[in-house]
Amino acid sequence: MTGPGPALDGPLHFDAVVIGAGTAGMTAAIRLAQSGARVCVVAKGVGSTHLAAGTIDVLGRIDGEERVTEPGAALERLIASRPDHPYALLGSGVVADSLSWFFETAAASSPRGYEYVGGLERNMLLPTAVGALRPSTLVPITMAAGEASALHRAAIVGTHALRDFHPSLCAANLREAGIEARPVFLELELERADMSALGIARRFDDPAWRALFCAQLSPALRSEDHVGLPAMLGLRDPHAALADLERRLGRRVFEIPTLPPSVPGMRLYEILRRALRSAGGRLVIGAEVVAAERHGERIAAVATRAAGRESHYAAPWFVLASGGLASGGIELDSSWRTSERVLGLPLRGVPDAGEPRFVPDFFAEQPLGRVGVAVDPQLRAEGAENVVVAGAALPGQAPWREGCGEGVALASGYRAAQVIVRESGAGAPAGARAT
Amino acid sequence: MSDLIDMIEHGSLRGSLDHCVKCTICETACPVSNATPLFPGPKYAGPQSERYRVAGEPSVDASVDYCSGCGICSQVCPQGVKIAEINARARDALKREHGVPLRDRIITRPTWLGRIGTPVAPIANLALNLRPARILAEKALGVHRDAPAPRFAGRRFSTWARARGRERRADRATAPGAGPPDHRGLPRRVVYFHGCGTEFYEPWEGEKVVEVLEHNGFQVTVPRQGCCGLPLQSSGLFDDARRTVLRLARSLSAPLRDDADAIIVGNATSCTLMLKREGREILGLEDDPDLRLVSRRTYDICELLLALHDRGELRTDFRPIREIVAYHAPCQQQGHGIGKPALDLLALIPGLEVREMNARCCGIAGTYGLKAEKHGISMAVGRDLFDQVLASGAPTVACDSETCRWQIAHGTGRRSVHPIDFLHRAYGLDDAGA
Amino acid sequence: MSTLSTDVLVIGGGATGVGVAWDAALRGLDVVLVDRHDLAQGTSGRFHGLLHSGGRYAVKDPQAARECVAENRILRRVAADCIEDTGGLFVTTPWDDPGYADRFAAGCAETGVRCEEVQPSQALRGEPRLNPRISRAFRVPDASIDVWKTVWAMSHGAQQRGARILPYHEVVTIDRSGDVVGGAVARDARSGDELRIEARVTVNATGAWAGRVAQMAGIEGVRVLPGRGIMIAMNHRLVNTVVNRCQMPTDGDIIVPIRTVSVIGTTDQHTDDPDDHTVPQEEVDRMLDEGERLVPGFRRARALRVWTGVRPLFEDAKADSTATRDVTRAHALLDHEQRDGVRGLLTITGGKLTTYRLMAQETVDAVCRQLGESRPCRTETEPLPGSESGEHYRLGERLARKEAELRGEQLICECELVPRSKLERAIAQTGSTDLDDIRRQLRLGMGPCQGGFCTYRATGILHERDGLRALEADASLLAFLQERWKGVWPVLYGDQLRQARLDEWIFQGVLGVERLPTAPETAGAGGASGAGGASGAGGASGLAPREAP
């Protein structure tokens, strides 16, 4: 940190500062704000939500089980076999609690009718854009009709104007999986050649566009009882768009997630953002943490890069939800040193010197893949007792291989808030804001 | 500035393209590319195209000129790519090559326009709102006939401030400042940077800023000041912009050198951002000591007031205001990296129902929406915001930037004010009849 | 087995082999060319892209320098569109022998390399990222050359003149009866069919593999010493001029700006196996350290990928050495009639990309001698297809083209600005379902995201256009991912690591490609649901590494 600035340039004080605006950070922040804490989220940019499918995948694969059918039960087996996994630290109870909390919170901050469905009893198997079937635990209502067990005859609809979705490939792979799927191409006149699903999603907010779309699609449909579309059914009121399409087409309609930017992911971010705002939390985007003030085992404040100078945020508690290797929260430099970038915390899961970090097989598990910030069972960082770690920064997980990224983010964010609330004295922390 | 420094500076901005992982988050947030296909988007025009640009070779992508320079892309980028800055450099290179239209040379000089317009305000305002005159201006200059034109106030803020200063000096002989003193027990001092919008078009906003600050115990100094150079920079006139911002930095830094604790505060959020960051980063003026000093000590008015509140030092003797207000955070305000302090301040006012608008941009982007070829785009960009404002049922829109306010008023027919208006009213300062 | 009959059979589709085919076709000879893989997939496609001015050989090998001077001039004319006129610099850094610079200048003067000493400050103005501590700087006419473009152009030109170019045809036997070679039998790698090619003369242009091919004809003692070197592509143009260290050529002493990237090269390790593509970490570290000396901050810049090339260094029986850099870089043309008493076979090996045309000329001259015909060489004056205007390639070309079609053209590979129309045309023209073949044509997937976004798009288009079965398309997708990863993981750190994780996220987290019916790890799915029973049909061949061990 720089020396004392002008008198007005002191730090801003909060009960907790959350670093990172992905699912984990937002969950921790909302929970904290809901319990009365003054909380501020600082983030370099918008987080992981925009890149993910918009589903909450709790557990899709564990050792020896290619495809997890019952995530709740599999969770127990995982916890038993991998004591270093974040789920083992969290316990299955926290996972279940965090999902219930998410249902409630999402329901309160979602656009009307846009709800998440599913549960720990059974994973849903949903088609991906390439036509593989991916297990998810909670999915937005707009994807639910794609559940493979109920999918018999489906039209997979796309347009050449959208380069990020290929109905013929998707349908062909679904046929390999025993689903009678047929590609349907629409000729849509769009104003640009490089249109993303997001660009089309903005059109789907408009009922007139939906009517035109359906008028073109209807005649192309045959005996299919389901219609699969790339995930682009609007941002503002996706449930209305879904209902509108189902009514006009007379068939069940479902969204299929595709390449980033993820429309369902953006909806999820918006839900979390709204929930944070209505709970009274603050959010500062474009504010990368560049320094920390440390007193022994405690972090006193962090400094973010704001325009022209650093802004300082002081708090008795910090939640580190800055992600793992994908976000750059943890990095490997050209001298092969691995480090936690925000606070310089010790890591776990770094291969020993001389051991491979990566292996030649793209599909094999990469040795560096499970790296994370070393934590105690309370998720507190080693060497920084007032820093609680959540999300992809936690060691021991393989978010995509195991299909557990969002589940870990949600449960650990939830847990981080719980730890802080409990440790700082039951009930509302000091300085709670009266609203 | 030597070519060498320019290229090194350029190199470091350019170097940030290495951080891009093509995630496209910037494109989800870009207001312009979501409204027109003429701009291919920040990822495309920025880190992607930059790999094809060689210093000294001719520019081949004129579409980068459709970037409005709002800067949202750089803010939302989780990877640390200086997208908007890369684009600004590419626009500068384009302008160097193809020249700058006369129109841009005129509308990018608000001080000059203001000095001409103010003494003849009634005539100038008439002309600005007279259809035939506007058609003529569009044909001759390329300033769109429907673009929002501010009205000259006919008086200058600085005139009021000088009179006020004399008054206060007289007062202080008898009564010390009203509010709590600073950490040294001295009256708090701020240097007020009002910008051209306040000076020529909305002097009342500046008057309110001063009164709210004084209500909180500040001694407000208003040095002589000119334009910050932002309009020049956003139109790609970098050399002129450098001269302009440095001139301003000279005059604002003088009082800071006298008082190590003094700060600058401004209500023109894009102009304060120019002082804080853009002048240094985009114009490559990192090494100028005046600008560096000014940059570190400049605060947006809402940023300052909220920081005071967080420390328990803001007066909260607010009277209720039973109204609905829509709040729009302008792009440049978001560029400060301080969240949305106005939202938290407005929430302090009892009875006031604040509706946060969730749209990216009003579309004006400084002078972008004035240009004939871009006005349509600017209105399309703003459509989402306009619709949300109209749906909110709020009679008034609070917004931190003056050009955005003019655009919002133009696009919605609603009144648009700086958030300070509500604080001023809630403090009861309106009634004081200053 | 079907049979073709021709004047000249060329074995090997690198720059030399295709150069021979182009030269021979221009002289009116009938040509068939075969390669076990795609064109320019061996040594030619695995170098840094330098068109030598001759400067690198000015002191050490004056003969090679003179050849480079002449060929540089010719290629700038006939292959203009494949060459970017970057210019080159030789700079003396604090780590270089300060005495070399004067020897360098003298060597250039003697060998005809156009060389001009400039003030270091002037060099730095042009290349501001260069180490400011350089003490001497020389400008030379180095340039960068796009080998693939060169090879495709020659191949198309030859085909227009009747040549038959057959990639993915591996020679399985060379037809030798008595002391005469009469052609070869090649196997089509895709169909498995064998094809007999009868030829009046057979040219072995297989570079580092030339000894093996000669052996197939029963000829021993053609010793080509493979020298393996690694090169690392950096994400963007750290320099816009070819930058060489002004010293005796050594490891990591050159950065070549080519297309959108800059390539640092190279190491030099003897290997026994020309198909050896190992990338030892100490070589990567050495490259990065040397890069840092030329361009401070190099280690913080983004490395995209690493690859190895194997130089064919013809071993002169008289000079035996294991340090391959000291073996001559000169090329060798072996007339096996004179050397071994075997008619109808020539071997051309050694040399360097810059002199491929000269090598081809000498080879076809020898072919004509064997045929007893007099046909003058025309490659010195005949421009390659696409280079007729004589204008050099500029980096901004693709950006300019997209700008002209901003609203009409859909980009599939955003990093390398590859539009859909080009992709569809390449799929139709090559008839290939291998995305890696398409990549070499178009640079698909060669930018920062290394296929993260375009692989799915390209597979979708491939599937739709070619009417592939799902399993074939899936195999293409998975093979391309594996192929991209091959060059990424040994040099994975910093920004590229974030990219690799995002790509993994896209393919595993969003698309779930590991759950495709053909995916490597798919076992029986355990009957998750009625419809979920994936056909466990294994046998997807797409993942087998193409380079045979």
Side-chain angles (χ1 to χ4, degrees):
Chain A
M1 292 216 161
T2 54
L8 286 162
D9 193 13
L12 301 168
H13 290 269
F14 293 92
D15 296 323
V17 169
V18 177
I19 303 164
T23 306
M26 294 296 272
T27 299
I30 297 165
R31 272 289 283 154
L32 283 163
Q34 285 172 342
S35 65
R38 281 169 36 83
V39 60
C40 183
V41 177
V42 292
K44 189 173 173 185
V46 299
S48 54
T49 41
H50 287 48
L51 306 176
T55 56
I56 306 289
D57 299 357
V58 171
L59 193 57
R61 180 211 305 249
I62 62 177
D63 295 340
E65 293 174 52
E66 192 49 38
R67 183 179 278 157
V68 165
T69 314
E70 296 167 354
L75 207 49
E76 304 293 351
R77 294 195 291 279
L78 174 81
I79 289 170
S81 66
R82 277 194 177 269
D84 56 339
H85 198 282
Y87 280 142
L89 299 182
L90 294 164
S92 55
V94 169
V95 178
D97 290 350
S98 71
L99 292 189
S100 318
W101 171 84
F102 176 77
F103 272 125
E104 261 168 56
T105 303
S109 296
S110 294
R112 187 172 37 89
Y114 185 73
E115 56 185 18
Y116 275 76
V117 296
L120 281 172
E121 307 73 41
R122 212 172 75 78
N123 269 333
M124 287 194 255
L125 270 185
L126 297 179
T128 71
V130 76
L133 296 176
R134 203 172 59 88
S136 290
T137 309
L138 302 190
V139 308
I141 187 81
T142 49
M143 293 183 195
E147 220 288 320
S149 61
L151 200 57
H152 303 299
R153 287 187 310 282
I156 305 298
V157 179
T159 169
H160 289 117
L162 177 62
R163 62 190 173 186
D164 290 340
F165 186 73
H166 293 270
S168 68
L169 180 60
C170 177
N173 271 312
L174 289 177
R175 286 196 299 278
E176 293 291 329
I179 296 165
E180 218 177 284
R182 185 176 67 89
V184 173
F185 286 90
L186 297 183
E187 290 311 316
L188 297 184
E189 282 297 319
L190 299 174
E191 63 274 16
R192 71 165 70 232
D194 298 321
M195 196 72 152
S196 70
L198 172 66
I200 306 182
R202 294 204 161 100
R203 312 294 287 273
F204 269 95
D205 282 335
D206 174 8
W209 160 266
R210 297 198 295 255
L212 281 172
F213 180 87
C214 291
Q216 202 188 128
L217 176 56
S218 277
L221 296 176
R222 296 182 199 153
S223 63
E224 293 91 1
D225 45 22
H226 281 73
V227 172
L229 291 164
M232 57 184 193
L233 292 183
L235 284 166
R236 279 198 211 144
D237 196 353
H239 181 254
L242 177 76
D244 191 14
L245 258 67
E246 292 197 331
R247 185 176 55 78
R248 288 175 190 274
L249 299 173
R251 290 164 171 86
R252 299 299 310 276
V253 171
F254 62 97
E255 291 190 302
I256 303 172
T258 185
L259 298 184
S262 160
V263 171
M266 290 176 67
R267 291 178 199 141
L268 176 58
Y269 177 74
E270 195 47 36
I271 290 169
L272 296 173
R273 200 187 65 83
R274 261 193 246 182
L276 178 65
R277 175 57 69 182
S278 63
R282 264 187 224 170
L283 173 63
V284 185
I285 295 288
E288 181 186 4
V289 173
V290 289
E293 187 185 342
R294 186 186 254 275
H295 297 304
E297 298 274 283
R298 296 183 65 82
I299 301 293
V302 295
T304 65
R305 193 195 309 279
R309 60 169 171 269
E310 293 174 354
S311 288
H312 298 215
Y313 297 82
W317 288 97
F318 293 86
V319 176
L320 183 74
S322 49
L325 294 169
S327 69
I330 297 173
E331 57 183 10
L332 170 68
D333 69 16
S334 70
S335 304
W336 318 108
R337 280 185 300 257
T338 314
S339 57
E340 187 277 304
R341 175 167 157 157
V342 181
L343 302 170
L345 298 171
L347 297 176
R348 198 176 286 159
V350 180
D352 293 335
E355 295 297 314
R357 290 170 292 269
F358 306 104
V359 293
D361 180 358
F362 178 74
F363 297 96
E365 176 156 345
Q366 301 299 327
L368 186 63
R370 290 182 191 259
V371 68
V373 176
V375 291
D376 71 6
Q378 305 294 305
L379 308 184
R380 289 195 295 194
E382 226 169 67
E385 59 189 28
N386 64 334
V387 174
V388 188
V389 183
L394 287 169
Q397 58 181 319
W400 310 298
R401 285 183 70 75
E402 296 175 334
C404 69
E406 296 85 5
V408 167
L410 194 62
S412 60
Y414 179 86
R415 176 77 179 140
Q418 227 173 28
V419 168
I420 292 173
V421 169
R422 204 190 46 220
E423 294 282 318
S424 52
R433 176 168 20 193
T435 41
Chain B
M1 193 168 66
S2 79
D3 285 352
L4 184 62
I5 293 170
D6 183 55
M7 296 192 80
I8 290 170
E9 171 58 23
H10 183 75
S12 81
L13 280 185
R14 179 189 169 99
S16 80
L17 76 85
D18 270 355
H19 307 321
C20 178
V21 295
K22 323 295 283 191
C23 73
T24 316
I25 281 177
C26 57
E27 310 229 321
T28 67
C30 174
V32 180
S33 66
N34 281 306
T36 173
L38 293 172
F39 181 53
K43 176 178 80 172
Y44 177 91
Q48 200 159 287
S49 294
E50 187 63 19
R51 293 175 75 238
Y52 294 84
R53 297 186 186 120
V54 177
E57 297 248 323
S59 296
V60 296
D61 53 332
S63 57
V64 72
D65 191 40
Y66 279 98
C67 165
S68 76
C70 72
I72 290 180
C73 45
S74 293
Q75 293 155 36
V76 298
C77 175
Q79 322 294 349
V81 186
K82 295 179 174 174
I83 311 166
E85 293 80 357
I86 291 174
N87 287 345
R89 289 295 182 120
R91 277 203 308 283
D92 175 43
L94 189 73
K95 290 290 161 76
R96 275 167 195 266
E97 233 173 272
H98 297 289
V100 178
L102 174 65
R103 184 254 338 259
D104 292 11
R105 294 190 184 281
I106 294 173
I107 61 175
T108 55
R109 285 175 170 73
T111 318
W112 185 74
L113 283 175
R115 288 206 186 108
I116 295 175
T118 299
V120 291
I123 301 166
N125 287 335
L126 187 65
L128 282 173
N129 289 290
L130 214 58
R131 197 77 185 156
R134 291 299 298 267
I135 292 172
L136 193 67
E138 179 177 308
K139 294 219 164 108
L141 290 172
V143 176
H144 197 279
R145 64 184 72 172
D146 296 327
R151 297 175 63 84
F152 290 108
R155 60 187 162 99
R156 290 171 65 164
F157 169 76
S158 52
T159 314
W160 177 89
R162 273 196 299 277
R164 174 89 164 185
R166 281 191 295 274
E167 215 173 279
R168 289 282 140 176
R169 271 193 297 280
D171 283 0
R172 257 198 304 280
T174 53
D182 76 355
H183 67 294
R184 302 163 303 179
L186 298 173
R188 296 164 181 278
R189 236 184 106 189
V190 293
V191 176
Y192 177 40
F193 164 53
H194 50 71
C196 307
T198 300
E199 174 72 353
F200 298 111
Y201 304 105
E202 298 181 335
W204 53 87
E205 298 286 9
E207 291 157 19
K208 288 172 183 173
V209 168
V210 171
E211 284 166 6
V212 167
L213 285 168
E214 287 182 348
H215 185 70
N216 280 286
F218 285 94
Q219 245 182 50
V220 183
T221 312
V222 185
R224 291 180 72 86
Q225 52 192 274
C227 176
C228 67
L230 177 62
L232 292 162
Q233 179 214 289
S234 67
S235 289
L237 292 151
F238 275 27
D239 288 338
D240 293 347
R242 285 187 187 108
R243 271 193 296 277
T244 309
V245 71
L246 288 179
R247 199 181 307 131
L248 178 62
R250 303 273 173 275
S251 55
L252 291 179
S253 60
L256 300 185
R257 294 198 192 281
D258 299 343
D259 180 350
D261 282 351
I263 58 163
I264 299 168
V265 66
N267 58 317
T269 188
S270 21
C271 308
T272 47
L273 186 64
M274 181 73 180
L275 290 181
K276 280 182 172 186
R277 187 185 65 201
E278 302 212 339
R280 287 168 59 178
E281 285 188 6
I282 295 184
L283 298 178
L285 296 172
E286 289 289 356
D287 293 331
D288 185 84
D290 289 337
L291 186 56
R292 202 159 36 184
L293 179 64
V294 166
S295 152
R296 290 212 189 111
R297 300 233 212 129
T298 296
Y299 284 75
D300 169 69
I301 179 68
C302 292
E303 175 187 20
L304 173 69
L305 296 178
L306 186 63
L308 283 181
H309 177 64
D310 283 344
R311 294 149 57 123
E313 295 171 10
L314 184 78
R315 287 181 62 167
T316 50
D317 50 339
F318 295 119
R319 304 174 184 177
I321 298 179
R322 307 213 180 278
E323 259 183 54
I324 303 173
V325 60
Y327 173 71
H328 168 66
C331 312
Q332 302 281 341
Q333 190 281 329
Q334 288 290 285
H336 285 251
I338 53 172
K340 297 180 178 176
L343 213 44
D344 297 285
L345 286 173
L346 293 175
L348 300 174
I349 300 174
L352 187 64
E353 213 179 295
V354 188
R355 303 269 161 85
E356 181 188 4
M357 298 293 100
N358 182 31
R360 290 288 177 190
C361 179
C362 70
I364 191 74
T367 57
Y368 185 86
L370 304 181
K371 300 171 182 173
E373 75 279 14
K374 289 165 183 145
H375 178 258
I377 298 172
S378 112
M379 293 304 283
V381 168
R383 188 78 267 154
D384 188 23
L385 174 62
F386 305 154
D387 288 349
Q388 288 189 36
V389 166
L390 294 173
S392 73
T396 312
V397 186
C399 174
D400 309 71
S401 161
E402 66 273 10
T403 50
C404 304
R405 290 196 289 274
W406 302 334
Q407 169 88 343
I408 292 167
H410 171 61
T412 62
R414 296 283 188 274
R415 209 167 74 88
S416 186
V417 299
H418 191 281
I420 202 76
D421 265 50
F422 282 88
L423 295 172
H424 189 261
R425 267 169 71 194
Y427 278 135
L429 296 169
D430 272 11
D431 307 340
Chain C
M1 192 186 327
S2 47
T3 302
L4 294 178
S5 201
T6 186
D7 293 329
V8 188
L9 167 64
V10 183
I11 306 171
T16 308
V18 180
V20 167
W22 164 239
D23 187 317
L26 274 180
R27 298 195 206 198
L29 291 167
D30 188 50
V31 186
V32 172
L33 180 144
V34 293
D35 192 287
R36 63 176 179 156
H37 298 147
D38 198 4
L39 301 184
Q41 204 178 340
T43 304
S44 297
R46 300 175 153 274
F47 93 131
H48 42 43
L50 171 67
L51 181 70
H52 281 276
S53 61
R56 285 177 73 80
Y57 301 115
V59 173
K60 191 176 150 190
D61 188 345
Q63 173 55 28
R66 284 191 191 91
E67 283 176 9
C68 288
V69 170
E71 289 303 306
N72 182 300
R73 285 202 190 112
I74 295 168
L75 292 181
R76 277 168 181 267
R77 203 166 53 232
V78 299
D81 183 46
C82 310
I83 290 167
E84 183 182 347
D85 187 12
T86 60
L89 279 171
F90 279 76
V91 294
T92 306
T93 72
W95 298 273
D96 303 326
D97 167 17
Y100 184 84
D102 290 330
R103 283 154 62 206
F104 171 78
C108 286
E110 195 178 313
T111 54
V113 176
R114 202 148 47 77
C115 168
E116 177 203 353
E117 176 150 19
V118 295
Q119 287 298 319
S121 59
Q122 199 184 337
L124 284 163
R125 250 194 306 281
E127 289 299 343
R129 284 172 171 258
L130 267 186
N131 192 329
R133 292 163 67 201
I134 56 171
S135 54
R136 307 276 298 268
F138 301 89
R139 279 196 201 287
V140 295
D142 282 344
S144 63
I145 178 164
D146 184 328
V147 182
W148 289 322
K149 213 170 168 186
T150 312
V151 166
W152 309 137
M154 291 194 295
S155 163
H156 292 150
Q159 283 173 299
Q160 281 162 12
R161 288 165 178 78
R164 284 158 288 182
I165 308 286
L166 307 174
Y168 293 108
H169 279 71
E170 181 168 10
V171 168
V172 288
T173 46
I174 290 193
D175 284 339
R176 173 174 167 181
S177 61
D179 289 336
V180 178
V181 167
V185 175
R187 186 188 297 124
D188 182 334
R190 289 162 178 158
S191 66
D193 296 343
E194 293 197 344
L195 172 70
R196 178 175 303 279
I197 303 146
E198 297 169 352
R200 296 165 69 197
V201 181
T202 299
V203 175
N204 170 18
T206 53
W209 293 262
R212 293 186 183 181
V213 171
Q215 237 169 6
M216 292 171 79
I219 292 167
E220 299 297 329
V222 175
R223 292 183 62 191
V224 183
L225 203 61
R228 182 177 51 72
I230 72 162
M231 281 143 280
I232 299 174
M234 308 301 286
N235 181 40
H236 67 109
R237 302 271 287 241
L238 297 172
V239 290
N240 287 306
T241 311
V242 176
V243 179
N244 303 266
R245 293 269 285 276
C246 194
Q247 60 177 4
M248 284 299 254
T250 182
D251 287 357
D253 65 350
I254 181 168
I255 302 177
V256 182
I258 174 145
R259 293 287 195 156
T260 45
V261 300
S262 20
V263 178
I264 184 160
T266 167
T267 51
D268 194 359
Q269 290 292 319
H270 168 73
T271 174
D272 291 323
D273 178 7
D275 290 312
D276 173 11
H277 290 298
T278 39
V279 177
Q281 188 178 309
E282 66 269 17
E283 289 188 33
V284 169
D285 289 334
R286 209 181 317 146
M287 286 297 101
L288 298 178
D289 285 339
E290 297 301 332
E292 190 70 32
R293 290 176 166 182
L294 269 174
V295 173
F298 193 88
R299 272 184 168 275
R300 287 194 308 277
R302 177 173 179 173
L304 284 186
R305 57 190 286 123
V306 60
W307 65 92
T308 58
V310 178
R311 302 178 185 86
L313 300 174
F314 182 66
E315 196 178 22
D316 193 332
K318 289 168 217 152
D320 204 345
S321 171
T322 46
T324 59
R325 205 184 294 279
D326 297 328
V327 179
T328 175
R329 299 262 162 130
H331 56 268
L333 173 64
L334 309 179
D335 182 334
H336 294 291
E337 187 174 14
Q338 292 163 12
R339 186 181 185 271
D340 309 286
V342 178
R343 247 192 90 73
L345 181 68
L346 300 166
T347 292
I348 176 76
T349 184
K352 58 190 85 57
L353 193 278
T354 301
T355 57
Y356 86 84
R357 193 210 60 86
L358 180 64
M359 292 162 71
Q361 176 177 354
E362 289 176 9
T363 306
V364 184
D365 285 349
V367 167
C368 290
R369 277 198 301 279
Q370 285 222 353
L371 296 176
E373 295 174 15
S374 166
R375 293 170 184 261
C377 177
R378 290 170 50 200
T379 56
E380 200 173 321
T381 50
E382 184 74 25
L384 304 188
S387 288
E388 295 83 356
S389 73
E391 276 185 38
H392 288 307
Y393 164 81
R394 281 169 188 271
L395 180 59
E397 269 178 24
R398 284 191 175 190
L399 191 61
R401 191 191 59 213
K402 169 68 181 166
E403 183 74 14
E405 290 285 337
L406 205 51
R407 296 160 75 172
E409 214 173 47
Q410 190 178 56
L411 287 181
I412 299 305
C413 169
E414 297 170 74
C415 305
E416 293 294 323
L417 304 178
V418 178
R420 187 182 189 115
S421 58
K422 289 236 169 190
L423 177 65
E424 290 180 342
R425 209 173 313 138
I427 291 171
Q429 276 170 4
T430 59
S432 175
T433 59
D434 186 340
L435 290 176
D436 203 40
D437 290 347
I438 310 289
R439 170 183 72 87
R440 282 186 298 276
Q441 298 267 347
L442 302 177
R443 299 184 62 80
L444 182 84
M446 290 184 70
C449 84
Q450 290 288 302
F453 286 76
C454 64
T455 303
Y456 167 64
R457 295 171 184 160
T459 308
I461 291 168
L462 189 66
H463 176 265
E464 190 192 326
R465 284 193 61 89
D466 270 18
L468 294 185
R469 290 185 306 127
L471 301 188
E472 292 169 314
D474 296 347
S476 289
L477 182 146
L478 298 173
F480 194 59
L481 294 181
Q482 181 61 49
E483 195 284 333
R484 292 285 81 194
W485 177 246
K486 184 180 74 185
V488 166
W489 73 268
V491 66
L492 191 54
Y493 60 81
D495 290 317
Q496 197 62 30
L497 176 52
R498 279 187 300 111
Q499 182 73 63
R501 290 291 279 192
L502 174 61
D503 293 356
E504 191 185 333
W505 189 343
I506 290 173
F507 290 108
Q508 298 196 9
V510 177
L511 296 177
V513 298
E514 79 283 14
R515 297 183 182 280
L516 283 169
T518 43
E521 291 181 14
T522 305
S529 71
S535 70
S541 57
L543 278 176
R546 233 187 342 273
E547 285 85 0

